[in-house]
Amino acid sequence: MVVGKISLSKVRKALREKAKGPVRLEKNVDMLVYLECILYLKELARHSRTQTQLTGMQTVQAAHVQRALTKVNAKFTTSS
């Protein structure tokens, strides 16, 4: 599976679309959101790999990602 690259302009556009009403973004806020997303995905991949190893399998499956998702979501909701 190939995932396309996401540019900072797409991040800015998505932030403005999700905001209600006109909004001004401070300098580098788009970069911080982008980096937070990268950290989230990296942590999800790490926990998914751990779940895969615990089951003794070689391939990450959807069930492993789902189990990892609950842990990562809990971690990111409490730290933000």
Side-chain angles (χ1 to χ4, degrees), residues 40-77:
Y40 178 83
L41 291 174
K42 189 174 183 178
E43 195 69 15
L44 182 61
R46 187 174 69 80
H47 279 286
S48 297
R49 186 178 61 236
T50 303
Q51 289 295 323
T52 303
Q53 291 171 346
L54 289 174
T55 59
M57 301 183 82
Q58 295 288 326
T59 307
V60 177
Q61 296 177 344
H64 302 131
V65 177
Q66 287 296 328
R67 279 189 231 121
L69 195 60
T70 57
K71 291 180 182 180
V72 174
N73 280 342
K75 179 179 178 180
F76 273 79
T77 55

Side-chain angles (χ1 to χ4, degrees), residues 11-29:
V11 173
R12 272 187 228 106
K13 183 178 177 183
L15 287 172
R16 287 192 178 108
E17 287 176 356
K18 292 291 183 181
K20 296 181 181 178
V23 66
R24 290 188 59 194
L25 300 176
E26 287 189 23
K27 187 177 181 181
N28 295 330
V29 75

